Amino acid sequence: MRSLKHFDNWAATFGEQVTAVELKPEGTGFRLKTRFARFYNLPELMNRWKEAADIQTADMLKLPVPEAEYITIQTEPSEAQKAMVQSLAERAEKIRKEKIDPREDNMLKITSDGRKLALDQRIMNPLLADDPGSKVNACVDNVFKIWRESTPTKGTQLIFSDLSTPKGRAEPKKEETKEGAEAEGEAAATEEETIMEASVYEDIRKKLIAKGIPPHEIAFIHDANTEAQKAELFAKVRNGQVRVLLGSTQKMGAGTNVQTKLVASHDLDCPWRPADLEQRAGRIVRRGNENEKVRI
């Protein structure tokens, strides 16, 4: 239609390539990168889009949702993390110079390792000490503070992390028996007590309990494997029985309606897609929340 059957034709009509300085994937230094990143001929593009879509944004709908305060918590890297970041840079340099087989190491693997390192250094090396100033410990302190402040109203909180999810809590395969799944879960739990790499979730839970939050008020979304279990868990969060719920964007994003008493949501890591951040925020900035103001 209108000579725009192929993406290259469409891009030449409505898009522009932009060259800009950006941070290298390994987190050290900058580079010039050219991307398809800017649009022009927007009136014509919008007219064509409106032929097939009716757009209603949140600003247009003006739904009664709480006001969100976005707070950025800054933490300093440990010496071990700094050294590991340097090793990531060295690996990336080898890849750029084609001195290593892509099957052994590649930029995607380096980026993944960098995300794990940013979450907690013990994920990369379980023998390292627990850094008191780590991102995880900062989150624990904030969650406990807000839990104590919101106790009179039974305020609830969400903690999102797509990395280091609980081991042995995935939905069992159809051929697995209940006894086999329980045995696997017990084995994973034993391993978590020995090394850190099993789950940041377990680490957060233990620290929150140590600070004084009752164990029955903390739950993992991964514990609910069926729709009935999810419905029961969500009901407990809505009425304040469970006041801290941990989960990933995939499991605790769309379809999670627990907003009734939510006062805060915590993002421990950053997902790949902007839409995932919107899904996270959409769990708390949502109709039906009793609170006029919430924190993210």
Side-chain angles (χ1 to χ4, degrees), residues 37-188:
R38 185 179 298 165
F39 293 95
Y40 54 84
N41 291 338
L42 288 180
E44 177 64 18
L45 179 60
M46 290 302 298
N47 286 336
R48 294 193 181 188
W49 174 244
K50 288 178 179 178
E51 291 177 3
D54 181 20
I55 303 173
Q56 294 289 319
T57 65
D59 293 338
M60 297 166 63
L61 294 174
K62 296 181 179 180
L63 298 174
V65 297
E67 178 185 350
E69 178 186 4
Y70 286 84
I71 303 172
T72 300
I73 306 299
Q74 295 184 345
T75 59
E76 294 296 326
S78 67
E79 292 303 319
Q81 284 176 309
K82 292 179 181 178
M84 289 183 182
V85 168
Q86 185 58 39
S87 69
L88 295 180
E90 294 171 358
R91 286 167 55 189
E93 194 61 27
K94 288 182 180 179
I95 292 173
R96 291 193 184 95
K97 294 180 179 178
E98 299 180 355
K99 291 185 177 180
I100 189 169
D101 190 334
R103 291 171 294 183
E104 297 179 9
D105 200 6
N106 53 67
M107 293 305 297
L108 184 60
K109 189 174 187 299
I110 291 176
T111 303
S112 178
D113 288 344
R115 294 181 70 216
K116 294 175 183 177
L117 179 59
L119 179 58
D120 196 291
Q121 63 187 25
R122 294 170 296 166
I123 300 177
M124 295 296 293
N125 184 353
L127 299 179
L128 289 174
D130 183 9
D131 178 19
S134 71
K135 184 187 297 186
V136 170
N137 286 321
C139 178
V140 169
D141 290 341
N142 282 326
V143 170
F144 178 70
K145 179 182 177 182
I146 296 172
W147 173 85
R148 187 168 50 189
E149 292 173 351
S150 62
T151 293
T153 60
K154 292 187 177 182
T156 59
Q157 302 178 67
L158 300 179
I159 302 176
F160 283 98
S161 179
D162 294 345
L163 298 173
S164 192
T165 55
K167 303 297 181 182
R169 296 176 182 272
E171 185 173 357
K173 297 178 182 179
K174 292 181 179 180
E175 63 269 17
E176 291 179 342
T177 63
K178 180 179 179 181
E179 292 77 9
E182 290 176 348
E184 183 181 353
E186 291 174 358

Side-chain angles (χ1 to χ4, degrees), residues 202-219:
E202 292 288 355
D203 189 52
I204 292 175
R205 184 176 185 273
K206 290 176 182 177
K207 289 174 178 176
L208 290 176
I209 293 174
K211 282 182 173 292
I213 299 182
H216 66 271
E217 292 189 6
I218 306 170

